[in-house]
Amino acid sequence: AQAQAGSSVQLFGLMDIGVQALKASGTDTRYLVNSDGNTSSRFGVRGTEDLGGGLKVGFWLESAVSVDDGTSGATSTNNKDSVSGGLTWGRRATVQVSGPWGELRLGRDYVPSFGNLTTSMHPFGTNGVGSSGIMFYPVPANGTTARTNVRASNSIGYFTPSGVNGFYGHAMLALGEQGAGPTRKDGQLTGVRIGWRNEALNTSAAISKTRYATGDYTQSNVGMSYKWGPARLMALWGRNEVGITRTTATMLGTQWEVWPQGELRFAYTWLKARNVASDATHIAIGYVHDLSKRTALYTNLAKVDNKGRGTRFNVGLATTQPGGDSGGFEAGVRHSF
Amino acid sequence: AQAQAGSSVQLFGLMDIGVQALKASGTDTRYLVNSDGNTSSRFGVRGTEDLGGGLKVGFWLESAVSVDDGTSGATSTNNKDSVSGGLTWGRRATVQVSGPWGELRLGRDYVPSFGNLTTSMHPFGTNGVGSSGIMFYPVPANGTTARTNVRASNSIGYFTPSGVNGFYGHAMLALGEQGAGPTRKDGQLTGVRIGWRNEALNTSAAISKTRYATGDYTQSNVGMSYKWGPARLMALWGRNEVGITRTTATMLGTQWEVWPQGELRFAYTWLKARNVASDATHIAIGYVHDLSKRTALYTNLAKVDNKGRGTRFNVGLATTQPGGDSGGFEAGVRHSF
Amino acid sequence: AQAQAGSSVQLFGLMDIGVQALKASGTDTRYLVNSDGNTSSRFGVRGTEDLGGGLKVGFWLESAVSVDDGTSGATSTNNKDSVSGGLTWGRRATVQVSGPWGELRLGRDYVPSFGNLTTSMHPFGTNGVGSSGIMFYPVPANGTTARTNVRASNSIGYFTPSGVNGFYGHAMLALGEQGAGPTRKDGQLTGVRIGWRNEALNTSAAISKTRYATGDYTQSNVGMSYKWGPARLMALWGRNEVGITRTTATMLGTQWEVWPQGELRFAYTWLKARNVASDATHIAIGYVHDLSKRTALYTNLAKVDNKGRGTRFNVGLATTQPGGDSGGFEAGVRHSF
């Protein structure tokens, strides 16, 4: 049925699905029908109420969707363990109050240091075989599997008002809410992001630290995006520290509007590892073709190369050979509502 | 996207989130970002169709939302075990047919004896550190964890037509639908509620009985609410029997409209225990401030005191000392859509 | 709240709930409040965008609903194992692109051979005690529990354009996406359906084959429906092969419009079994009464009789006696939105 007209609730979403071929050293090629090659699929409900005097209150509920099988995505109640098995509003669940002084946001939300890994600073954002996540997400170590490299639950966030001389900022405190004992502060995150943008340049630095009894997790990064004619040049530096381990990645890339409906994407990333995994590189090229404002076709091609005896990094299919590489190709359609 | 206009489906919901501090004898203070300090957060879809001749049919799907982490709530398929792990329409899932003769409702719904535990008879309803649930919900005993103190699945409910001389009534039969053997009638509930209200007075008595092979569960209560000037005076008596155990609580309290936008809340409850737990008291004070018809700020402060060697009752953080007490404070925002 | 007017997203659904009594040889009668006696309950979101030039893109998200307890239904990420525990879009999750050349559909969808088991070729479709599923769904054997007799995940489907001389067709390839090793192709389905219809006649044949290391699964069937005055005469032949086992069922039945608001349903099915289970018969009679275009009352009565020493087949309550039978009665209300 059609929903009633009148007020302030919005159903929204995005569906991205395509076919994917993956190949890694020592394995057969795998073919997949896969979600999210271009943008993360989602279903959500959101709304805003104007309280007068510049004050607004709003809510946001957003869940992940795997279009290929109808499952949703995980969340975490304590920023330490993963919870899944049906629809969760794991992508975002917040109530926010905003005014001339900025915005206060409570609930489950993106951490400050995630902002630089999206398409604002990385040509592919966190999707597909070109995903920034391949090189810029943390490597689990010594019992610490960080769950806060993208979002955190039980968070209190503050955003500066938009448009004050181009500056923007985001600070977050998120609680782990564990019981007593040595792990009781596990999952507690503090993070901050500061940036500046005008019509051509956007640059920002961020750091988020999460406490874990098995080894704290720190994500820090600096991104830059510069519009140069039809191209947007991008550079991203990011570091993940889990206990005494450390991976540091640097990316140079571009989103290039080759004609009004088409955007070429390219990114090259090199990663240095310490006390964990091994060095690696990631090269990706893609093309996005708009069919309308809401719908696009896309294709991506990427390769990840492990250095030395490394096997950690791949585009979705693990290599079975030390120092092996893996490659992936995908083509799909993205549709938003 | 915006949903189409035209007919009869309503998206509805409520989001309540705040910060909470809890302290119990012998433990450190715990800080939480927590949902539902004032009202239970929810997301739902509902609609009605007029069939003519005074006959209506409607449906209602409602799920719980933990705004702090994006999880939903549990349900039970047999009124005995709990099912969770993703969105369930566990708050309510019904189809109802109504006419001049009343309303017939099938599915998962509130049990008759829950009606008296809400804000109609208790100043805090079942939310936050002042929640009626702390003293008026059953204590598990001898293997019986009652799942029917709030809702029951597989139910057939009848509601009397509204506005017949002020009388109202609700009867329910809910099936447990277990297999064969000694537990085959487990989870079968029968309940009834009868009340009367006019502009000033609202009073009602209810009883629900659920069969469990490990010990039947009976919830009975009597509530009264009387509007006296700006104040609504409330009294509630409730008993929970699980097998041979019994807890009986009595509450006196008020919701007091101190000015058009603000309501003060107060409740004092004492509980007598037999064959389980120990006596205890619960005192709570709160304030709710309306920012609009849809949005409010609130704060609550409460203390639970176990008598004798008791440790069973608390405001959300268990005491580690016999006869210990616990206290909680919270402040948050509630927004409905 | 009411959702905003303007565009192209539709909330839709159907709720079906009733009471059911089941009896099997050697057991007590069981009473249930049950969903889906007439039609499968569902909640979904869907939309379409016109891209111009005859091209359209659309999406569809649909979840099962158990109205009696608020749970949802399962899906499978690999067409081999079942995933449940909260809302999944397990009934359908697709993005589709259509044009004069037909429709391409990606995601989780119905398999081609399911089309003949619905109310288009079987008086009761796959619901209630008269369900085609009782005789036309596969019997698990030797470790193969087929998950693809209704839907498949990771699918690429093609539908012929509608209305080309009455012919219609559907082809599907669905991937299993398992890891390496002997089960790596498990869950890979290929299927095709070809049919022809005019105002009076609708006939179609279909076959779907799914690979499983423990024994492949093949579902094949032929259906026919012929409108003869107020009656629609139906015949259905279907075979399920799981490894070396085989069950073959044949149904004769009718949907008969006894007056504008009422439809009588009848179906008689006999099943032959080889290397698994035993022969059996299924007889069902039902009546559906429309209260409006969106709402109907219904009732069904059915009996399943196992031959020889068989105990496999039943209307929902297993017989405890070799060669036993089982019967079921149900009455309920169906409401769509």
Side-chain angles (χ1 to χ4, degrees):
Chain A
Q2 304 166 310
Q4 273 182 281
S7 118
S8 62
V9 183
Q10 262 203 324
L11 274 184
F12 69 96
L14 184 148
M15 308 275 279
D16 177 344
I17 187 163
V19 292
Q20 198 181 42
L22 302 175
K23 176 84 183 77
S25 312
T27 72
D28 293 327
T29 302
R30 284 190 72 189
Y31 299 95
L32 303 154
V33 173
N34 218 17
S35 264
D36 301 359
N38 179 269
T39 308
S40 300
S41 299
R42 67 199 69 179
F43 165 68
V45 191
R46 63 189 170 203
T48 313
E49 183 190 8
D50 195 328
L51 295 169
L55 205 63
K56 284 184 183 182
V57 63
F59 74 98
W60 193 296
L61 287 172
E62 184 178 330
S63 64
V65 176
S66 291
V67 189
D68 48 345
D69 54 32
T71 56
S72 179
T75 183
S76 175
T77 59
N78 58 9
N79 300 326
K80 185 182 175 188
D81 307 307
S82 182
V83 173
S84 64
L87 190 151
T88 68
W89 304 108
R91 284 182 58 84
R92 182 168 159 192
T94 62
V95 172
Q96 56 270 9
V97 180
S98 62
W101 41 267
E103 179 177 324
L104 192 65
R105 199 183 284 181
L106 280 83
R108 177 170 176 81
D109 197 13
Y110 294 95
V111 301
S113 51
F114 179 73
N116 289 331
L117 306 187
T118 67
T119 48
S120 68
M121 302 294 183
H122 188 289
F124 295 87
T126 55
N127 289 98
V129 293
S131 170
S132 64
I134 294 173
M135 300 265 116
F136 289 90
Y137 280 171
V139 174
N142 294 319
T144 295
T145 299
R147 305 274 180 207
T148 54
N149 50 310
V150 178
R151 302 173 184 90
S153 292
N154 315 308
S155 79
I156 304 169
Y158 168 73
F159 293 82
T160 56
S162 63
V164 181
N165 298 321
F167 283 98
Y168 59 92
H170 176 200
M172 180 186 269
L173 167 67
L175 304 179
E177 306 188 348
Q178 327 280 339
T183 64
R184 90 196 165 85
K185 294 254 179 177
D186 274 24
Q188 181 171 315
L189 174 144
T190 44
V192 66
R193 183 188 188 202
I194 294 171
W196 186 83
R197 79 185 131 209
N198 66 8
E199 299 223 335
L201 181 70
N202 183 9
T203 183
S204 135
I207 183 166
S208 302
K209 179 168 183 173
T210 313
R211 297 176 63 158
Y212 291 109
T214 49
D216 291 349
Y217 167 53
T218 304
Q219 182 182 45
S220 43
N221 45 46
V222 181
M224 205 183 73
S225 164
Y226 180 71
K227 188 141 178 50
W228 186 64
R232 190 163 273 288
L233 307 178
M234 291 169 163
L236 177 61
W237 174 92
R239 176 169 284 177
N240 287 282
E241 293 164 283
V242 179
I244 60 157
T245 72
R246 188 169 95 183
T247 50
T248 309
T250 311
M251 185 282 307
L252 293 175
T254 185
Q255 289 178 342
W256 186 15
E257 194 182 303
V258 285
W259 51 76
Q261 284 78 38
E263 179 185 283
L264 211 56
R265 295 174 166 192
F266 172 80
Y268 179 74
T269 309
W270 61 99
L271 176 143
K272 296 281 173 193
R274 206 166 75 177
N275 296 332
V276 68
S278 58
D279 295 358
T281 60
H282 180 201
I283 187 164
I285 186 163
Y287 176 70
V288 184
H289 189 82
D290 290 336
L291 295 179
S292 76
K293 223 176 149 179
R294 292 170 52 199
T295 305
L297 302 176
Y298 66 85
T299 184
N300 297 312
L301 183 66
K303 189 181 174 194
V304 166
D305 198 358
N306 288 283
K307 307 299 178 189
R309 310 272 310 154
T311 58
R312 175 61 182 72
F313 299 97
N314 60 72
V315 295
L317 180 64
T319 174
T320 59
Q321 296 176 356
D325 52 39
S326 62
F329 167 81
E330 66 201 346
V333 56
R334 180 197 79 209
H335 174 65
S336 62
F337 57 97
Chain B
Q2 302 166 312
Q4 274 183 281
S7 118
S8 62
V9 183
Q10 262 203 325
L11 275 184
F12 69 97
L14 184 148
M15 308 273 280
D16 177 344
I17 188 164
V19 292
Q20 199 180 42
L22 302 176
K23 177 84 183 75
S25 312
T27 71
D28 293 328
T29 302
R30 284 190 72 190
Y31 299 95
L32 303 154
V33 173
N34 218 17
S35 262
D36 302 357
N38 179 268
T39 308
S40 299
S41 299
R42 67 198 70 178
F43 165 68
V45 190
R46 63 188 170 203
T48 313
E49 182 190 9
D50 195 327
L51 295 169
L55 205 63
K56 284 184 184 184
V57 63
F59 75 97
W60 193 297
L61 288 172
E62 184 178 329
S63 65
V65 176
S66 290
V67 189
D68 47 346
D69 53 32
T71 56
S72 178
T75 183
S76 175
T77 59
N78 58 9
N79 300 325
K80 184 182 177 190
D81 307 306
S82 182
V83 174
S84 63
L87 190 151
T88 68
W89 304 110
R91 283 182 58 84
R92 181 168 160 192
T94 63
V95 172
Q96 56 270 7
V97 180
S98 62
W101 41 266
E103 178 177 324
L104 193 65
R105 199 184 285 180
L106 279 83
R108 178 169 175 83
D109 198 13
Y110 294 95
V111 302
S113 51
F114 179 73
N116 289 332
L117 307 186
T118 68
T119 48
S120 67
M121 302 293 183
H122 188 288
F124 294 87
T126 54
N127 291 98
V129 293
S131 170
S132 64
I134 294 173
M135 300 266 116
F136 288 91
Y137 280 172
V139 175
N142 294 320
T144 295
T145 300
R147 304 276 180 205
T148 53
N149 50 310
V150 178
R151 302 174 184 88
S153 292
N154 315 310
S155 78
I156 303 169
Y158 168 74
F159 293 82
T160 56
S162 63
V164 181
N165 297 322
F167 283 98
Y168 60 92
H170 176 200
M172 180 185 269
L173 168 66
L175 304 179
E177 305 187 350
Q178 328 280 338
T183 65
R184 89 196 165 86
K185 294 254 179 177
D186 274 24
Q188 181 171 314
L189 174 143
T190 44
V192 65
R193 183 188 188 203
I194 294 172
W196 185 85
R197 79 186 131 210
N198 66 8
E199 299 222 337
L201 181 70
N202 182 10
T203 183
S204 135
I207 183 166
S208 302
K209 179 167 182 174
T210 313
R211 296 176 63 157
Y212 292 107
T214 49
D216 290 349
Y217 166 54
T218 305
Q219 182 182 45
S220 43
N221 46 47
V222 181
M224 205 184 73
S225 165
Y226 182 72
K227 187 139 178 48
W228 186 63
R232 190 164 274 287
L233 306 179
M234 293 170 162
L236 176 62
W237 175 93
R239 175 168 285 177
N240 288 281
E241 292 164 283
V242 179
I244 61 158
T245 72
R246 189 170 95 184
T247 52
T248 309
T250 312
M251 185 282 308
L252 293 175
T254 184
Q255 289 179 340
W256 186 13
E257 193 182 303
V258 284
W259 51 77
Q261 285 77 39
E263 178 185 283
L264 211 55
R265 295 173 165 193
F266 173 81
Y268 180 75
T269 310
W270 61 99
L271 177 143
K272 295 282 172 192
R274 205 165 75 178
N275 296 332
V276 67
S278 59
D279 296 357
T281 60
H282 181 201
I283 187 165
I285 186 163
Y287 175 69
V288 184
H289 189 82
D290 291 336
L291 296 179
S292 77
K293 222 175 152 180
R294 292 171 50 199
T295 307
L297 302 175
Y298 64 85
T299 184
N300 296 314
L301 181 66
K303 190 182 173 193
V304 166
D305 199 358
N306 289 283
K307 307 299 178 190
R309 310 274 307 154
T311 59
R312 174 61 182 74
F313 300 97
N314 61 72
V315 295
L317 180 64
T319 173
T320 59
Q321 295 177 356
D325 52 39
S326 62
F329 167 81
E330 67 202 343
V333 56
R334 180 196 79 209
H335 173 65
S336 62
F337 58 96
Chain C
Q2 303 167 310
Q4 274 182 281
S7 118
S8 63
V9 184
Q10 262 204 325
L11 274 184
F12 68 97
L14 185 148
M15 308 274 280
D16 177 344
I17 188 164
V19 293
Q20 198 180 42
L22 303 175
K23 176 83 182 77
S25 312
T27 71
D28 293 327
T29 302
R30 284 189 73 189
Y31 299 95
L32 303 154
V33 174
N34 218 19
S35 263
D36 302 358
N38 178 267
T39 308
S40 300
S41 300
R42 68 199 69 180
F43 165 68
V45 191
R46 63 188 169 202
T48 312
E49 183 191 8
D50 195 327
L51 296 170
L55 206 64
K56 285 184 183 184
V57 62
F59 75 97
W60 193 296
L61 287 172
E62 184 178 329
S63 65
V65 176
S66 291
V67 189
D68 48 345
D69 54 31
T71 55
S72 179
T75 183
S76 176
T77 58
N78 57 10
N79 300 325
K80 185 183 175 188
D81 307 306
S82 182
V83 174
S84 64
L87 189 151
T88 67
W89 304 109
R91 283 182 58 83
R92 181 168 159 191
T94 62
V95 173
Q96 57 271 9
V97 180
S98 61
W101 42 266
E103 179 177 325
L104 193 65
R105 199 183 282 181
L106 280 83
R108 176 169 176 83
D109 198 13
Y110 294 95
V111 302
S113 51
F114 179 73
N116 290 331
L117 307 186
T118 67
T119 48
S120 66
M121 304 293 182
H122 190 289
F124 294 87
T126 54
N127 290 97
V129 292
S131 170
S132 64
I134 293 173
M135 299 266 117
F136 290 90
Y137 280 171
V139 174
N142 294 319
T144 295
T145 299
R147 303 277 180 206
T148 54
N149 50 309
V150 178
R151 301 174 184 89
S153 293
N154 315 309
S155 79
I156 304 170
Y158 168 73
F159 293 82
T160 55
S162 63
V164 181
N165 297 321
F167 284 98
Y168 59 92
H170 176 201
M172 180 185 269
L173 167 67
L175 304 179
E177 306 188 349
Q178 327 282 336
T183 64
R184 90 197 165 85
K185 294 252 179 177
D186 274 24
Q188 181 171 314
L189 174 142
T190 44
V192 65
R193 182 188 188 202
I194 294 171
W196 185 84
R197 79 186 131 208
N198 66 9
E199 299 223 335
L201 181 70
N202 182 10
T203 183
S204 135
I207 183 165
S208 302
K209 179 167 182 172
T210 313
R211 296 176 62 158
Y212 290 109
T214 49
D216 291 349
Y217 166 54
T218 305
Q219 182 181 45
S220 43
N221 46 47
V222 181
M224 205 185 72
S225 164
Y226 181 72
K227 187 139 178 50
W228 187 63
R232 190 165 272 287
L233 307 179
M234 291 171 164
L236 177 61
W237 175 92
R239 175 169 283 178
N240 287 281
E241 292 163 284
V242 178
I244 59 157
T245 72
R246 188 169 95 183
T247 51
T248 309
T250 312
M251 184 282 307
L252 293 176
T254 184
Q255 289 179 341
W256 185 14
E257 194 182 303
V258 286
W259 52 76
Q261 285 77 39
E263 177 185 284
L264 211 56
R265 295 173 166 191
F266 173 81
Y268 179 74
T269 310
W270 61 100
L271 176 143
K272 296 281 172 193
R274 204 165 74 176
N275 296 333
V276 69
S278 59
D279 295 357
T281 60
H282 180 201
I283 187 164
I285 186 163
Y287 176 70
V288 184
H289 190 82
D290 290 336
L291 295 179
S292 77
K293 222 175 150 180
R294 292 170 52 199
T295 306
L297 302 175
Y298 65 85
T299 184
N300 297 313
L301 183 66
K303 189 182 174 194
V304 165
D305 199 358
N306 289 282
K307 308 299 178 190
R309 309 275 307 156
T311 59
R312 175 60 182 74
F313 300 97
N314 61 72
V315 296
L317 180 64
T319 173
T320 59
Q321 295 176 357
D325 52 39
S326 61
F329 167 81
E330 65 201 346
V333 56
R334 181 197 77 209
H335 174 65
S336 61
F337 58 97

